[in-house]
């Protein structure tokens, strides 16, 4: 842990990333699909498609992947995607989970990076393996068992980051709805700290509580929310990484908003 | 400036002329919600406060609100579309809803997020203030004002000035009940006799010079009990417009019924007092207002004309072939403007619903195709792009196809209006919203939008007797209720025929009750009867009109004759024979009526 500011830095802004790339002082991870990555990417970035990570996200496997990307305990890492930061968040969270402390999200998406006319190429960098230690941060992960018991506590807030209609139709009892889109601003994956603090404050989501986030299936949208909370200074957060899909498969209780036909208001 | 601050400027965007917002209202709302949640604000005062700021309650819950964003005179600009697109994704259900009164609504918003919406709306000059509650509601104007071939002059600037005058005006913060102004282009296109104050632009020769003014109708309105408005006087010169408006609002404020919530719209006052007495009172009050206020109070009418500038086209698409469906769409969705070479293009939506992506697409299409650089919302849960050059119609249609906005039938009977019903309204008895969508789909499938005999008719469906969908003025109107066979309930609608909202505005006549799942067959049967009995020049509307006025000489002479023919269609089957009959649209559990606390009078 190098300093306090480091621990609350959640995103890396475009200008800093550009100079860090020039200095080659950083590892950039592109989590898009391999085909997209091969076409073009931010110079010197390595590719870790989310699906590759998810095919086996045990600590040992993750460690291997991290080593192969040339990341050791000291390497600053920046992650980006093209899906409003959600996939990048899931990867960043996983790095944090195995004990990597210096990982941030690019403040914007790759599409926006390109539409600003910023540098990109199709070169695949040569990477030599590094050795990362394993120092599992279990306190940022929520399992279904943990969630089930934590839910009964007054000082725990559970946040559902799926879209509103999905939430209304079915959610974990006691969860509040905060669709992932709410977390972004115009061209940033996360709104400014001031805006984020106000949003959570209005909702009564405060630092006095432990906060658990979940979404539909693999902890991407809720991964973004995990970082949104941290960006607002709410660092007592956990990700229910297996999310609603697992909860339903385990046939745990769910509730719905009754007596209203909200789906018929949708124009989809 | 760092590079990350740069954004690409898109095609020329016309900016809103008027800022309706006050950003401090967002903070105030957020704080009040907190106090309310802490129990420091009682239920009733909070409700009044919430409604005054444009947030309605939602069906069966106090956790959510509906935010009704006002679009005065129906005007909406590209940046506002983009903002609403974003807000619908962030805080609502990924769709937004165009209402029948030129508002755009966001449903199922978490009450604690409403202030965030206010803050964002303020960035683009919009407000929801006084969109609900006992205030002057959104001031409407015909979507064709300024382009209509029959109008005397464009009343849009007067509608905007009136909206500006009353918004946040202390005079209109706690009226006995809501109060509505509708401006129009001509009587045919407006909704001027079904509203508290309806205004039609007129020109009179006075002492050899042309004088602008209005024909003003007072005391109309729809609801549990509906009335048609009365004309105040032959001609009201424009200088008297504001004085007349103030006089009417003052009288209503003073004499309107504040106790009996069910009878407190101005139309009841007019009805109880008698028109002549009310008329005299208005004229007297106006004289007082004129004498005491003339120096300070003036309506700030901005009559500088908008710039009409055809956007530059980057690519020339004139060589492209005409896409399928274009002719049908051209016929049923566009109107020629009085400005030669220009058309107004109406977008077909389903009961006013539009996705976040489509809102964003419209912003782009306005920039690309509308020579006035903005759009107008209409009276039937829709929106129109105006000043589209005739050479741009095919390229515009192609773009609409890509966004799923190219359905035909916008200006025909196909555009069925449905209030929110059980999708979100506390008072609803049926899913009127979905039924409206189902009818429209059926009409398009049968290509009934292309039938010239049906274009000037309308279908409107309310989910309870409160008339939010304006069913009383529809050619075929419905309002929801529950029917019963023994212990089993089914969704049912009262049907009325022959309502109209043109120059000869009148309310439809009650015909019979139609179960929800029989509404479509019944409508199709009525059309069939019409086809069998019509005279060559008839439209459905004129045929029904003759029946209502007892002047039809074919076999069907009265609403009762129609009723007799339809009766076999509406007989309930047993639950075993047809379980679906007992379910409402959009529902797979057994039907029961369930309502919460209504807020229409709050
Ligand atoms: C007794 C209660 C109510 C009455 C009498 C009533 C009456 C009306 C009427 C007559 C209209 C037609 C607009 C016009 O004047 O041209 C209207 C519009 C509307 N009402 Fe209601 N209403 C009531 C309660 C509600 C409630 C509880 C909701 C649901 C939140 C609601 C939602 C709407 C909507 C969405 C519109 C569309 C027009 C707009 O933008 O203002 N109404 N209402
Ligand atoms: S007509 Fe009835 S159901 Fe429909 S919106 Fe109005 S109050 Fe609700």
């Amino acid at each position: 842990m190098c300093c306090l500011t480091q621990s609350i830095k959640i995103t890396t802004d475009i200008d800093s990333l550009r100079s860090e790339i020039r200095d080659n002082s950083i590892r950039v991870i592109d989590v898009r699909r391999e085909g997209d990555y091969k076409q073009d990417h931010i110079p010197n970035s390595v590719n870790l498609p989310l699906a590759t990570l998810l095919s086996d996200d045990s600590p040992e496997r993750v460690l291997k992947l991290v080593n192969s990307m040339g990341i050791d305990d000291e390497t600053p890492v920046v992650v980006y995607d093209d899906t409003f930061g959600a996939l990048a968040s899931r990867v960043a969270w996983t790095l944090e989970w195995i004990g990597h402390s210096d990982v941030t999200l690019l403040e914007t998406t790759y599409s926006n990076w390109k539409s600003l006319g910023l540098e990109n190429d199709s070169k695949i960098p040569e990477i030599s393996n590094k050795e990362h230690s394993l120092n599992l941060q279990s306190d940022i992960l929520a399992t279904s068992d943990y969630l089930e018991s934590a839910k009964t506590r007054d000082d725990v807030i559970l946040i559902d980051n799926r879209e509103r209609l999905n939430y209304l139709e079915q959610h974990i009892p006691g969860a509040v709805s905060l669709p992932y889109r709410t977390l972004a601003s115009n061209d940033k994956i996360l709104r400014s700290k001031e805006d984020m603090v106000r949003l959570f404050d209005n909702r009564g989501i405060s630092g006095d509580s432990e906060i658990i986030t979940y979404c539909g299936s693999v902890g991407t949208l809720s991964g973004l929310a995990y970082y949104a909370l941290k960006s607002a200074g709410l660092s007592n957060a956990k990700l229910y990484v297996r999310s609603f899909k697992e909860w339903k498969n385990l046939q745990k209780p769910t509730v719905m908003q009754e007596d209203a036909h909200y789906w018929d208001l949708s124009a989809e | 400036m760092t590079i990350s601050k740069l954004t690409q400027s898109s095609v020329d965007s016309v900016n809103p002329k008027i800022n309706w917002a006050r950003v401090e209202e967002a903070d105030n709302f957020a704080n009040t919600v907190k106090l309310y949640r802490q129990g420091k604000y009682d239920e009733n005062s909070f409700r009044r406060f919430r409604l005054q700021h444009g947030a309605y309650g939602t069906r069966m819950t106090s956790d959510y609100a509906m935010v009704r964003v006002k679009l005065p005179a129906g005007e909406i600009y590209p940046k506002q579309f983009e903002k609403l697109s974003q807000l619908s994704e962030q805080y609502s259900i990924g769709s937004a809803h165009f209402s029948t009164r030129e508002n755009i609504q966001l449903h199922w918003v978490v009450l604690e997020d409403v202030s965030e919406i206010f803050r964002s709306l303020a960035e683009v000059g919009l407000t929801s203030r006084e969109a609900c509650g006992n205030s002057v509601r959104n001031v409407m104007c015909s979507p064709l004002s300024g382009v209509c071939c029959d109008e005397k002059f464009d009343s849009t600037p007067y509608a905007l000035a009136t909206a500006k005058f009353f918004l946040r005006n202390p005079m209109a913060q706690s009226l006995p009940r809501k109060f509505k102004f509708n401006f129009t282009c001509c009587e045919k296109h407006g909704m001027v006799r079904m509203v508290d104050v309806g205004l039609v632009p007129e020109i009179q020769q006075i002492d050899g010079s042309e004088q602008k003014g209005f024909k003003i109708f007072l005391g109309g309105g729809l609801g549990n009990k509906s009335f048609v408005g009365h004309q105040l006087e032959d001609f009201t010169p424009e200088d008297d417009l504001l004085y007349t408006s103030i006089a009417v609002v003052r009288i209503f404020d003073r004499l309107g019924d504040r106790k009996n919530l069910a009878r407190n719209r101005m139309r009841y006052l007019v009805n109880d007092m008698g028109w002549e007495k009310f008329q005299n009172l208005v004229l007297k009050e106006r004289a007082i207002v004129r004498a005491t206020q003339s120096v300070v109070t003036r309506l700030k009418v901005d009559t500088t004309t908008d710039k009409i500038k055809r956007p530059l086209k980057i690519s020339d698409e004139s060589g492209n072939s005409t896409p399928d469906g274009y002719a049908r769409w051209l016929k049923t969705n566009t109107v020629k403007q009085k400005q030669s070479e220009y058309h107004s293009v109406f977008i077909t939506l389903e009961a006013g619903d539009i996705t976040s992506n489509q809102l964003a697409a419209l912003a782009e299409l306005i920039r690309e195709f509308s020579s006035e650089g903005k759009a107008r919302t209409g009276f039937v849960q829709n929106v129109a792009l105006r000043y589209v050059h005739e050479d741009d119609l095919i390229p515009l249609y192609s773009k609409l196809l890509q966004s799923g906005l190219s359905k035909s039938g916008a200006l025909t009977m196909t555009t069925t209006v449905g209030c929110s019903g059980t999708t979100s309204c506390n008072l609803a008895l049926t899913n009127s919203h979905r039924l409206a969508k189902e009818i429209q789909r059926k009409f398009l499938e049968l290509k009934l939008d292309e039938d010239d005999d049906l274009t000037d008719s309308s279908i409107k469906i309310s989910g309870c007797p409160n008339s939010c969908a304006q069913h009383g003025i529809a050619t075929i109107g419905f309002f929801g209720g529950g029917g019963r066979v023994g212990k089993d309930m089914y969704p049912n609608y009262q049907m009325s025929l022959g309502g109209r909202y043109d120059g000869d505005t009148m309310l439809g006549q009650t015909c019979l009750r139609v179960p929800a799942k029989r509404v479509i067959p019944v409508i199709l049967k009525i059309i069939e009867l019409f086809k069998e009995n019509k005279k060559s020049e008839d439209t459905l509307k004129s045929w029904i009109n003759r029946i209502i006025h007892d002047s039809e000489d074919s076999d069907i002479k009265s609403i009762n004759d129609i009723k007799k023919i339809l009766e076999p269609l509406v007989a309930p089957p047993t639950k075993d024979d047809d379980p679906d009959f007992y379910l409402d649209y959009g529902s797979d559990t057994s039907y029961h009526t369930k309502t919460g606390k209504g807020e229409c009078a709050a």
Side-chain angles (χ1 to χ4, degrees), chain B residues 428-577:
Chain B
L429 300 167
T430 55
N431 191 347
S432 44
H433 198 73
R434 171 72 175 271
L435 177 57
K437 295 184 176 189
E438 296 288 337
I439 293 171
Q440 174 164 319
R441 287 170 199 167
K442 183 51 99 183
F443 267 59
L444 288 176
E445 179 194 321
L446 299 174
K447 301 201 166 160
L448 292 176
D449 57 311
E450 293 191 281
D451 189 333
D452 290 332
D453 293 350
L454 303 180
T455 42
D456 63 354
S457 297
S458 60
I459 305 172
K460 299 177 195 288
I461 310 170
S462 303
C464 82
N466 280 322
S467 299
C468 301
Q470 305 163 328
H471 61 264
I473 49 173
T475 318
I476 309 182
F478 298 89
F479 73 82
R484 191 183 279 280
V485 178
K487 280 201 302 292
D488 296 320
M489 293 198 73
Y490 59 90
N492 208 6
Y493 285 91
Q494 180 65 257
M495 179 172 77
S496 57
L497 297 175
R500 50 196 292 182
Y501 47 93
D502 50 12
D504 302 307
T505 294
M506 63 179 282
L507 296 166
Q509 276 182 21
T510 299
C511 181
L512 85 166
R513 288 189 191 275
V514 184
K517 294 287 165 76
R518 299 293 180 265
V519 166
I520 291 175
V522 160
I523 294 172
L524 296 178
K525 184 71 189 176
I526 293 172
I527 293 171
E528 190 188 311
L529 291 175
F530 155 69
K531 293 284 181 188
E532 285 164 16
N533 291 287
K534 65 170 265 192
K535 304 208 164 52
S536 62
E537 289 298 292
D538 262 337
T539 65
L540 176 64
K541 178 174 163 179
S542 66
W543 179 71
I544 291 183
N545 205 41
R546 257 204 328 279
I547 294 174
I548 282 183
H549 290 103
D550 296 325
S551 49
E552 170 65 11
D553 50 16
S554 69
D555 286 350
I556 297 174
K557 295 192 173 51
S558 68
I559 294 292
N560 210 32
D561 291 342
I562 298 183
K563 179 175 172 178
K564 274 189 219 131
I565 298 170
L566 297 176
E567 258 161 0
L569 266 70
V570 302
T574 65
K575 205 165 183 175
D576 290 338
D577 282 350

